[in-house]
Amino acid sequence: MSETAKIEIEGKSYEFPVVTGSENEKAIDIKKLRGTTGCITIDPGFKNTGSTTSAITYLDGENGILRYRGYPIEQLAEKATFLEVAFLLIYGELPTKSELENFQESITKHTLVHEDMKQFFEAYPAKAHPMGVMASMVCSLSTFYPESQDPNRPKEAIDLTMHRLIAKLPTLAAMSYKNAMRHPFVYPKNELGYCENFLNMMFSMPTEEYTPDPVVAEALNKLLILHADHEQNCSASTVRIVGSSQANLYASISAGVSALWGPLHGGANQAVIEMLDKIQADGGDLEKWVAKAKDKNDPFRLMGFGHRVYKNFDPRAKIIKKACDDVLEKLGVEDPALDIAKKLEKIALEDPYFVERGLYPNVDFYSGIIYKALNIPTEMFTVMFALGRLPGWIAQWKEMVENKEPIGRPRQIYTGENQRDYVSIDKR
Ligand code: SDX
């Protein structure tokens, strides 16, 4: 006997089916709500609303659990490569040796972008934020592959588009950095691994070949894995809803890049470092800044703190916090920002304001400190988040398409003026 939920509206009782997921999460299926009751639900920010069922990522906010296709993030971050995790998220299973080799080979041979794109970069001012460049460059890729706009193209063509994106995003990211520095572009090298190739494109110079430090490459691999997917977050939901109109994958991912840019979302990793620098420059009075974060009349918020789902701890923040100590020690980097971050975390977690609201460090709180140690410039932090999140966005888009989900089009409750007649300008 399937479970149901009863709703009573204006004295009439209605029953709706209850959907139960593989981890026993429950949802009231309201697909027929408006048709049977004439009512809709309303839920700004979708805090209580599921947009879909999904088999990609599982979060348990109360217990700080994060799994990609059932595999705990702790194991993947420790043992997998980023391309292995990308394959897992997109195709649903960890790749066999030959599957991974074929996937890596396909990615490797598509790392170049069309030479014409160099002119696009050169048109940007040096101070152009790389997320603005990234969003437009990703959408511009669709103009070089018009066939990607056919919603009915075969599986192989869709795979090619997915692989092209995973291959080219690091190239575009590095080009946006080189353009901002007014340094010459560095081309991808097929003999390098995914992370090493990105680092080489970022830091090699015509005068001096960059030798990727294994510690840096390993730290980058771990950070990309930790950012790879996070179920129906703001940017993934954006990718799904744009894709639901049958806009091509490049356009859908470009929309995800734009959504991620916001400081309440992926832009928080840049905002955290700017916040820590501001606190340090202000004399490091942590109690003062924690009080500001609690003050409703003060727009200041503790960036990198709080989460829509994690009300206990973000497992990614725990892993990154530990990695901070390891990476900075191995690289021999001293960063006062790390000490400030740790003290800030300690003060906040002993403060009832944060504890009562379930506000803990999230993925963005410590990640910027590692990026800084890897010599990634602050304005590139959110680009790094996008590099990691790309396979998750692709997996979410693919699932939406394969499930033949309808175009996303929420309803509303109108609260504006009732009907009124036009008044000529001389009578207003
Ligand atoms: C990411 O969704 C995802 O999965 C996202 C992400 C992913 O991997 O895709 O995990 C990545 O975006 C992480 C979050 C990065 N953003 C930040 O670090 C920005 C700072 N944090 C917040 O602005 C906030 O916590 C959000 C946006 C993350 C969550 O906001 P919610 O769920 O809408 O919660 P809320 O704003 O309603 O806050 C609830 C209460 C409020 O106080 P009261 O009205 O109850 O008195 O907590 C307070 C808020 O004022 N609060 C904070 C706070 N975050 C929430 N107070 C001070 N500092 C903060 N950081």
Side-chain angles (χ1 to χ4, degrees):
M1 172 74 171
S2 62
E3 208 178 336
T4 61
K6 284 189 180 59
I7 300 178
E8 194 171 308
I9 301 172
E10 294 167 340
K12 283 182 75 178
S13 179
Y14 303 87
E15 276 197 67
F16 297 93
V18 169
V19 174
T20 303
S22 51
E23 290 288 341
N24 282 320
E25 298 165 304
K26 294 187 181 301
I28 302 170
D29 178 344
I30 56 167
K31 277 200 282 292
K32 296 199 170 73
L33 177 72
R34 191 168 185 277
T36 46
T37 72
C39 290
I40 63 168
T41 60
I42 194 156
D43 184 22
F46 312 114
K47 295 191 176 188
N48 306 284
T49 299
S51 57
T52 187
T53 56
S54 177
I56 300 169
T57 293
Y58 173 66
L59 304 188
D60 176 334
E62 281 61 42
N63 299 302
I65 292 173
L66 168 56
R67 300 187 199 127
Y68 296 158
R69 299 286 189 183
Y71 295 98
I73 191 66
E74 294 78 5
Q75 294 180 23
L76 293 171
E78 203 50 46
K79 299 172 181 165
T81 66
F82 176 62
L83 286 186
E84 252 185 304
V85 169
F87 186 99
L88 169 68
L89 286 167
I90 294 168
Y91 297 108
E93 296 294 338
L94 285 169
T96 61
K97 195 165 180 308
S98 65
E99 284 172 332
L100 183 59
E101 282 165 2
N102 293 337
F103 185 61
Q104 282 174 170
E105 188 195 338
S106 177
I107 304 293
T108 300
K109 72 183 184 197
H110 288 103
T111 48
L112 276 173
V113 297
H114 199 290
E115 279 293 292
D116 287 356
M117 292 192 94
K118 286 167 70 173
Q119 301 163 50
F120 302 172
F121 281 97
E122 281 146 14
Y124 282 102
K127 63 180 183 309
H129 195 289
M131 283 299 275
V133 176
M134 169 79 77
S136 47
M137 286 300 169
V138 168
C139 206
S140 301
L141 281 174
S142 64
T143 65
F144 291 88
Y145 307 105
E147 71 284 358
S148 65
Q149 290 160 41
D150 171 9
N152 305 308
R153 63 199 185 287
K155 178 188 174 308
E156 299 68 37
I158 294 175
D159 277 338
L160 177 55
T161 300
M162 297 192 290
H163 297 183
R164 274 182 170 142
L165 268 162
I166 295 173
K168 295 180 193 309
L169 206 61
T171 307
L172 292 170
M175 288 174 82
S176 66
Y177 171 63
K178 286 302 197 186
N179 183 60
M181 299 296 285
R182 293 311 191 230
H183 290 168
F185 296 130
V186 175
Y187 284 82
K189 283 185 163 179
N190 287 357
E191 67 273 21
L192 294 177
Y194 194 79
C195 294
E196 292 80 356
N197 195 23
F198 171 70
L199 292 165
N200 184 58
M201 291 188 287
M202 282 284 288
F203 300 123
S204 260
M205 291 289 279
T207 48
E208 189 183 354
E209 187 73 7
Y210 170 81
T211 311
D213 178 331
V215 172
V216 172
E218 168 50 32
L220 181 55
N221 179 69
K222 184 173 286 191
L223 283 166
L224 294 179
I225 289 172
L226 290 168
H227 287 81
D229 192 56
H230 216 239
E231 55 132 281
Q232 304 312 313
N233 57 84
C234 177
S235 53
S237 300
T238 302
V239 169
R240 285 182 86 122
I241 202 163
V242 170
S244 72
S245 75
Q246 293 192 348
N248 65 75
L249 179 55
Y250 297 109
S252 305
I253 297 298
S254 171
V257 172
S258 298
L260 186 74
W261 194 357
L264 294 188
H265 191 11
N269 57 15
Q270 173 178 341
V272 166
I273 289 297
E274 289 166 350
M275 172 186 75
L276 296 174
D277 291 347
K278 191 189 286 184
I279 293 173
Q280 188 182 4
D282 180 54
D285 178 353
L286 298 179
E287 303 291 345
K288 167 188 164 188
W289 288 90
V290 169
K292 281 170 65 70
K294 293 159 54 178
D295 179 355
K296 293 301 170 202
N297 300 315
D298 189 322
F300 176 74
R301 285 289 173 269
L302 219 45
M303 301 313 281
F305 252 74
H307 198 275
R308 174 60 55 78
V309 176
Y310 293 124
K311 298 305 177 192
N312 193 329
F313 62 90
D314 183 335
R316 303 166 298 177
K318 276 189 146 180
I319 297 170
I320 294 174
K321 180 180 177 182
K322 183 179 176 308
C324 269
D325 291 327
D326 297 347
V327 172
L328 270 65
E329 188 192 339
K330 283 178 186 166
L331 295 176
V333 169
E334 288 279 317
D335 185 349
L338 180 54
D339 299 336
I340 293 177
K342 287 181 176 176
K343 285 178 190 148
L344 209 46
E345 177 185 3
K346 188 172 182 309
I347 293 171
L349 298 192
E350 288 163 0
D351 184 311
Y353 172 92
F354 294 90
V355 176
E356 285 158 11
R357 292 170 176 78
L359 303 175
Y360 292 82
N362 58 49
V363 66
D364 293 307
F365 191 61
Y366 286 104
S367 54
I369 293 166
I370 296 191
Y371 288 138
K372 236 174 105 178
L374 304 186
N375 289 320
I376 306 280
T378 306
E379 286 216 328
M380 287 285 288
F381 286 5
T382 311
V383 168
M384 303 308 293
F385 195 142
L387 288 181
R389 185 54 52 91
L390 178 62
W393 285 333
I394 290 172
Q396 297 285 345
W397 173 89
K398 182 170 177 281
E399 184 176 70
M400 178 275 301
V401 169
E402 289 174 349
N403 288 352
K404 297 183 173 30
E405 292 187 5
I407 183 168
R409 199 273 184 223
R411 305 303 297 259
Q412 64 162 29
I413 293 296
Y414 176 72
T415 55
E417 294 287 342
N418 299 115
Q419 181 172 331
R420 51 182 174 166
D421 295 329
Y422 179 82
V423 176
S424 61
I425 192 158
D426 53 348
K427 292 195 177 64
R428 286 177 208 161

